[in-house]
Amino acid sequence: MAAAVTRRAGCAALVLGLCAHAAVAFAQQVPPPAYQLAAQQAGVPSPVLYAVALQESGARLRGRLIPWPWTRNVARRAERYATRAEARAGIRRALVRTPANRIDAGLGQVNLGYHAHRYAHPCDLLDPYRNLAIAAEILQEQHTPGEDWLVAIGRYHRPAGGEPAARYRRSVHQHLTRVLGPGASLPSARSPTP
């Protein structure tokens, strides 16, 4: 009888330990290395860049929300492509009938018109590394030292601010909470941790 109670207590402790470990694992996500690199080079916290990409190009894959590199948005209508070649063709078709300032592309949904000075060809924005570098640059440009990164996040979406920027901040903040875990604070841009 004592052995059965000990086994049950051991099993209960094991189950509780696994549940606690699972809670920690699901409580936060480490941004992938490409996000960490682009963020570090621009002086932006990698969770900020990753949360923006989740908001901009997030797609469900096997039950997980992940940024999708071959996403294009034309006049507020998102389209996701299976391959980079299909996304390139989609951008070319869109440019024939839609002004460039109504088209966003890639992980960070960089606007083709407003950010034309940042790339040589619109399809360059489908290179995930280039797109992340540009998105991180834009976030850094929108950030004022000493200011909360959420303000820069709002300006990333709408530099003029207002209610559209506030709605965007709230949406990205939900992603940040998932990335950082509940109750965690945002690291500084120069922090060595992801």
Side-chain angles (χ1 to χ4, degrees):
M1 173 102 164
V5 170
T6 304
R7 268 194 306 259
R8 273 190 237 135
C11 286
L14 178 62
V15 168
L16 288 174
L18 289 173
C19 288
H21 178 71
V24 170
F26 289 112
Q28 70 183 98
Q29 300 174 8
V30 175
Y35 294 82
Q36 293 178 40
L37 180 62
Q40 181 183 27
Q41 289 174 342
V44 174
S46 62
V48 167
L49 181 59
Y50 189 58
V52 166
L54 285 168
Q55 177 66 31
E56 291 290 343
S57 64
R60 291 253 171 233
L61 184 65
R62 295 184 205 115
R64 274 190 74 203
L65 183 66
I66 62 164
W68 190 252
W70 302 298
T71 302
R72 157 198 96 153
N73 188 310
V74 178
R76 296 185 180 169
R77 193 172 136 240
E79 293 183 15
R80 288 174 180 80
Y81 297 91
T83 68
R84 188 172 175 176
E86 290 172 8
R88 283 181 181 166
I91 286 178
R92 289 186 194 109
R93 283 191 307 274
L95 284 168
V96 170
R97 64 184 189 282
T98 308
N101 66 351
R102 305 269 301 164
I103 304 170
D104 302 327
L107 289 166
Q109 289 295 281
V110 175
N111 186 275
L112 274 64
Y114 296 120
H115 298 289
H117 62 285
R118 299 180 190 270
Y119 62 83
H121 187 276
C123 292
D124 293 348
L125 295 176
L126 295 173
D127 173 345
Y129 297 98
R130 183 71 190 128
N131 193 283
L132 288 175
I134 291 170
E137 288 171 10
I138 295 167
L139 279 164
Q140 179 56 43
E141 290 166 7
Q142 297 302 323
H143 185 255
T144 302
E147 185 177 65
D148 189 322
W149 276 99
L150 283 171
V151 176
I153 287 168
R155 287 193 292 249
Y156 177 90
H157 177 70
R158 186 163 191 259
E163 185 52 33
R167 275 192 308 270
Y168 186 81
R169 278 193 311 267
R170 288 189 294 270
S171 293
V172 175
H173 187 263
Q174 290 176 348
H175 295 298
L176 264 174
T177 300
R178 279 199 309 274
V179 171
L180 294 171
S185 62
L186 191 61
S188 69
R190 301 292 178 206
S191 174
T193 59

